[in-house]
Amino acid sequence: ASYSLAQTKQALRLYRNLMKLQMRKVPDELRPLGDLMIKQEFRLHLDSATEDQMGKFLVAWGEYARMLDSQLDTDRSMNKMKKVLHDPHLDGMLKDKMTEEQQGTLKEFKDVIFDAAKK
């Protein structure tokens, strides 16, 4: 990894914040998948990102954290989760910043959410 100590500290704070948001705001049945996705992405980027890549990574995940914090309330409503994930602005923003593999993981996450909502 070739990024600054400040970025490392920022990434760790963001990781902790995301995991807390997951615990408070994501429905119980979806939390394991979301936790796994966050852990994998952070592990991958903390191990091998350049300074520029880490900057983009922090911006994208920071946006996700703000969106999660502002649009979902503590009742863990599946309908609100579905509405957030259908946001075309979020899709456009993430598509430019995610690899095909990451987009596939996000699609799997969305599929799980919509399958769980049908039950």
Side-chain angles (χ1 to χ4, degrees):
S2 59
Y3 47 87
S4 69
L5 182 60
Q7 282 180 315
T8 302
K9 289 178 181 180
Q10 184 181 358
L12 293 175
R13 278 192 306 273
L14 180 57
Y15 176 83
R16 281 192 302 271
N17 185 39
L18 284 164
M19 296 307 282
K20 287 177 185 177
L21 286 168
Q22 284 281 116
M23 189 172 17
R24 287 190 344 247
K25 304 220 176 191
V26 174
D28 293 337
E29 61 271 12
L30 301 176
R31 196 174 313 131
L33 180 62
D35 289 352
L36 179 64
M37 186 173 152
I38 292 168
K39 287 175 187 176
Q40 286 177 337
E41 288 298 310
F42 273 77
R43 192 172 293 131
L44 175 70
H45 282 82
L46 288 174
D47 287 346
S48 62
T50 65
E51 189 167 351
D52 183 51
Q53 291 169 332
M54 183 56 76
K56 291 175 183 176
F57 176 82
L58 293 172
V59 167
W61 278 101
E63 285 291 320
Y64 175 73
R66 281 187 287 286
M67 182 254 337
L68 193 61
D69 194 33
S70 68
Q71 294 188 13
L72 296 177
D73 57 21
T74 55
D75 71 1
R76 297 186 179 152
S77 166
M78 185 64 76
N79 289 333
K80 288 185 183 242
M81 176 68 85
K82 286 171 57 177
K83 184 179 177 184
V84 167
L85 288 173
H86 270 314
D87 182 357
H89 173 71
L90 179 65
D91 286 342
M93 181 185 73
L94 291 177
K95 189 172 185 169
D96 292 343
K97 294 181 173 45
M98 296 174 84
T99 66
E100 285 184 28
E101 182 180 350
Q102 291 166 329
Q103 290 176 21
T105 303
L106 181 59
K107 183 186 179 320
E108 288 175 26
F109 183 65
K110 287 181 178 185
D111 290 345
V112 168
I113 290 169
F114 295 113
D115 287 346
K118 292 176 187 173
K119 294 179 181 176

